[in-house]
């Protein structure tokens, strides 16, 4: 019963059916945004406008279409497909490889008649053609007047390596789904944080407790004053606050520490530090009234005790200056860091407080996936090796010779004819 069940799993039609199911659900996971808030799905898929009459936010949430790749049924499909590949490898591919390694002698002329590539020679040429086959890198097996030759056996290994690579890729995907996590943090410069804002995680995920300090955040600009790159300098600390590791990250250049990857994704301005009339430094908040549609921040600085007089501050970059406007909205001047201006009160810009946006994630299956793709590339190269077979049978009056190949049959015909011509 077990063998019958494994043969059913190893059936090509069953494997194709599973692959189609996995492809369909993967397409659904691509079309429907994953790991969003319920409010976002309620906005995008309202009950009053269901797609096809039944796809709305309740349907998506109830059936796990908001996190397809982490659902139990999708992971189960991957596991069954992996078992199918393993069954096919052990029940079909490995036995086929063993058969290919066996000596398959033709003891009569009848099997030669079934070959498309064949001819007859003088039996005196038996020794010469044997020598030529050796020089053409054929492995030769002989029983008296019978020869069996083959080359390119490594090409028969390619399907097995393909199965191994696909199993590794699927295994890596499952490991990432059940053991990985994805989080986002917006951290002010000079602050220390631990990973808390988790967007999604696997059922067996343990969130590491890593103390991280944002030492600095800065932006470089191009000649057209457009943003060129974001940078954040991170320090990884132990429980006593001692720095264990220091890395600077930027977009497309993440930091890695204890299996956790830190990506630079966003930035924000949160406040200004100003000194009024050479007194103590006061911190003023910045707000973004355009709701992140455009990077512009404003604040208001009172210049009188009754708050009837003041100036408006506007800032849209991190180049080290702010723009000042009066109560009528007219431009006054730009004020740089450590610069002082006298507007009935002396105002000194001490610092512009920024924060960095980080995406923090770990994927325990990523190395397994990369290994699987490496095996897949190797199998592609190996598959170009043609597995060719040649049989010889020497009788009293004739030398029968014929051959067969798995691919590149035209090239094999040319090789076979050249071999016969050299022999003659």
């Amino acid at each position: 019963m077990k063998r019958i069940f494994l043969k059913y799993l190893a059936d090509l039609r069953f494997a194709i059916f599973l692959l189609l199911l996995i492809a369909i659900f993967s397409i659904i996971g691509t079309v429907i945004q994953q790991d969003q808030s319920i409010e976002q799905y309620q906005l995008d898929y309202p009950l009053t406008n269901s797609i096809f009459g039944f796809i709305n936010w309740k349907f998506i949430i109830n059936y796990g279409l908001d996190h397809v790749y982490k659902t139990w049924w999708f992971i189960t499909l991957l596991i069954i497909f992996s078992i199918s590949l393993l069954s096919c490898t052990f029940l079909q591919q490995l036995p086929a490889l063993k058969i290919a390694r066996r000596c398959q002698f033709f003891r009569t002329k009848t099997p030669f008649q079934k070959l498309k590539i064949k001819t007859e020679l003088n039996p005196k040429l038996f020794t010469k053609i044997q020598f030529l086959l050796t020089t053409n890198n054929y492995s030769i097996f002989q029983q008296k007047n019978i020869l069996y030759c083959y080359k390119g056996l490594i090409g028969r290994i390619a399907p097995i390596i393909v199965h191994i690579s696909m199993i590794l890729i699927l295994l890596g995907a499952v490991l990432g789904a059940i053991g990985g996590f994805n989080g986002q943090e917006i951290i002010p410069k000079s602050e220390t944080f631990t990973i808390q804002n988790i967007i999604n995680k696997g059922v067996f995920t343990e969130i590491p407790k890593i103390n991280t300090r944002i030492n600095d955040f800065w932006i470089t600009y191009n000649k057209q004053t457009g943003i060129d790159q974001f940078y954040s300098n991170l320090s990884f600390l132990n429980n006593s606050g001692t720095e264990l590791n220091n890395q600077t990250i930027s977009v497309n250049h993440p930091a890695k520490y204890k299996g956790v990857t830190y990506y630079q994704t966003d930035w924000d301005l949160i406040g200004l530090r100003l000194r009024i009339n050479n007194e103590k430094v006061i911190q003023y908040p910045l707000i973004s009234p355009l709701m992140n549609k455009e990077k512009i921040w404003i604040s208001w600085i009172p210049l009188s005790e009754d708050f009837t007089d003041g100036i408006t501050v506007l800032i849209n970059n991190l180049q080290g200056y702010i723009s000042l406007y009066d109560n009528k909205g007219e431009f006054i001047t730009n004020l740089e860091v450590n610069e002082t201006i006298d507007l009935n009160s002396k105002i000194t810009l001490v610092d512009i407080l920024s924060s960095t946006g980080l995406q923090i994630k770990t994927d325990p299956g990523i190395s397994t996936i990369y290994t699987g793709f490496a095996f897949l590339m190797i199998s592609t190269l190996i598959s170009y090796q043609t597995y060719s077979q040649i049989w010889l049978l020497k009788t009293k009056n004739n030398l029968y010779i014929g051959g067969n190949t798995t691919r590149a049959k035209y090239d094999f015909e040319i090789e076979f004819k050249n071999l016969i011509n050299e022999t003659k």
Side-chain angles (χ1 to χ4, degrees):
M1 290 297 294
K2 290 181 180 179
R3 190 170 183 84
I4 294 173
F5 179 69
L6 290 175
K7 281 185 177 181
Y8 181 77
L9 285 177
D11 187 79
L12 178 62
R13 291 167 295 183
F14 180 68
I16 292 175
F17 173 72
L18 287 176
L19 196 59
L20 284 174
L21 282 181
I22 293 171
I24 290 170
F25 288 123
S26 298
I27 292 171
I28 293 174
T30 303
V31 173
I32 299 176
Q33 285 186 316
Q34 302 291 288
D35 300 312
Q36 302 295 312
S37 64
I38 295 180
E39 291 77 11
Q40 185 66 43
Y41 291 112
Q42 290 173 340
L43 180 64
D44 296 338
Y45 305 95
L47 297 173
T48 55
N49 190 21
S50 299
I51 301 174
F52 303 121
F54 65 93
I55 299 178
N56 49 54
W57 70 269
K58 281 190 176 180
F59 181 86
I60 291 172
I61 298 299
N62 291 337
Y63 290 95
L65 300 183
D66 58 328
H67 57 284
V68 171
Y69 309 113
K70 296 181 178 66
T71 56
W72 66 268
W73 43 265
F74 188 80
I75 294 174
T76 301
L77 277 177
L78 297 183
I79 293 173
I80 295 174
F81 185 58
S82 300
I83 295 173
S84 176
L85 292 175
L86 278 173
S87 302
C88 181
T89 301
F90 284 102
L91 296 180
Q92 297 180 15
Q93 298 295 339
L94 289 178
L97 181 62
K98 290 180 180 179
I99 293 172
R101 295 182 60 188
R102 292 174 185 170
C103 299
Q104 305 172 36
F105 294 110
F106 287 178
R107 302 183 184 278
T108 64
K109 67 177 184 180
T110 303
F112 288 92
Q113 297 173 356
K114 299 178 181 179
L115 299 175
K116 292 183 179 181
I117 303 173
K118 58 183 179 295
T119 189
E120 296 180 17
L121 298 174
N122 191 315
K124 294 180 180 181
L125 299 175
F126 183 77
T127 304
K128 186 174 182 180
I129 198 170
Q130 183 178 359
F131 172 76
L132 291 174
L133 288 169
T134 304
T135 57
N136 279 274
N137 299 318
Y138 277 88
S139 299
I140 299 176
F141 300 88
Q142 182 176 4
Q143 282 186 359
K144 296 181 180 180
N145 60 338
I146 304 173
L147 284 186
Y148 169 64
C149 317
Y150 71 79
K151 72 174 181 179
L153 182 63
I154 192 173
R156 300 301 296 268
I157 303 175
I160 299 175
I161 300 178
V162 170
H163 284 190
I164 293 173
S165 65
M166 294 180 69
I167 291 170
L168 287 174
I169 292 170
L170 294 173
L171 176 62
V174 172
L175 289 176
I178 65 176
F181 78 90
N182 188 6
Q184 288 184 345
E185 302 285 351
I186 300 291
I187 309 300
K189 184 173 66 175
S190 76
E191 293 292 328
T192 301
F193 73 97
T194 57
I195 304 170
Q196 294 181 345
N197 186 26
I198 305 300
I199 298 176
N200 59 75
K201 65 175 184 175
V203 293
F204 298 110
T205 301
E206 291 186 7
I207 307 301
K209 296 181 180 180
I210 302 176
N211 297 317
T212 309
R213 183 177 64 224
I214 307 298
N215 298 318
D216 199 3
F217 171 78
W218 68 96
I219 300 174
T220 56
Y221 295 85
N222 54 34
K223 294 180 180 179
Q224 291 76 31
T225 68
I227 293 176
D228 183 48
Q229 185 62 281
F230 311 136
Y231 296 91
S232 294
N233 182 260
L234 312 178
S235 287
F236 301 100
L237 317 173
N238 59 16
N239 293 332
S240 60
T242 304
E243 183 180 82
L244 302 176
N245 187 273
N246 181 278
Q247 298 185 50
T248 297
I249 66 172
S250 58
V251 177
N252 297 326
H253 296 87
K256 294 184 178 180
Y257 183 73
K258 290 187 176 180
V260 181
T261 305
Y262 296 75
Y263 296 91
Q264 179 70 63
T265 57
D266 202 1
W267 64 287
D268 195 9
L269 298 181
I270 57 175
L272 302 171
R273 286 177 178 169
L274 301 174
R275 180 178 284 110
I276 309 297
N277 293 325
N278 295 322
E279 297 179 357
K280 63 180 180 179
V281 176
I282 302 175
Q283 182 169 312
Y284 295 90
L286 285 169
I287 62 171
S288 182
L290 299 181
M291 299 298 291
N292 295 328
K293 292 183 179 180
E294 189 174 348
K295 294 287 188 181
I296 295 177
W297 296 265
I298 63 172
S299 187
W300 188 74
I301 312 300
L303 298 179
S304 62
E305 294 183 359
D306 57 0
F307 297 97
T308 57
D309 186 24
I311 56 174
T312 301
V313 176
L314 186 146
I315 181 170
N316 64 350
N317 56 57
L318 199 57
Q319 293 183 318
Y321 69 89
I322 59 177
S323 299
L324 305 181
Y325 296 82
D326 61 17
N327 289 332
K328 297 180 181 180
E330 295 181 358
F331 176 72
I332 301 175
T333 186
N334 289 329
L335 184 64
E336 297 184 358
V337 175
N338 296 324
E339 184 181 3
T340 302
I341 186 173
D342 193 348
L343 298 173
N344 296 326
S345 298
K346 290 184 178 181
I347 303 174
T348 303
L349 177 60
V350 177
D351 195 10
I352 301 172
L353 302 179
S354 61
S355 61
T356 181
L358 303 177
Q359 183 181 25
I360 307 169
K361 63 186 301 184
T362 182
D363 189 347
I366 193 68
S367 58
T368 307
I369 292 175
Y370 287 160
T371 304
F373 277 110
F375 276 110
L376 191 61
M377 290 186 286
I378 292 171
S379 67
T380 303
L381 296 174
I382 292 176
S383 65
Y384 282 98
Q385 294 290 325
T386 302
Y387 177 64
S388 303
Q389 298 167 289
I390 292 179
W391 293 268
L392 286 90
L393 172 63
K394 177 185 175 184
T395 63
K396 185 176 180 180
N397 299 318
N398 287 304
L399 175 60
Y400 300 98
I401 178 171
N404 191 20
T405 187
T406 55
R407 59 183 304 275
K409 294 185 178 181
Y410 179 73
D411 292 337
F412 179 71
E413 283 189 44
I414 294 176
E415 181 187 10
F416 187 83
K417 289 180 179 179
N418 290 337
L419 179 67
I420 300 303
N421 292 334
E422 283 187 60
T423 304
K424 292 180 178 179

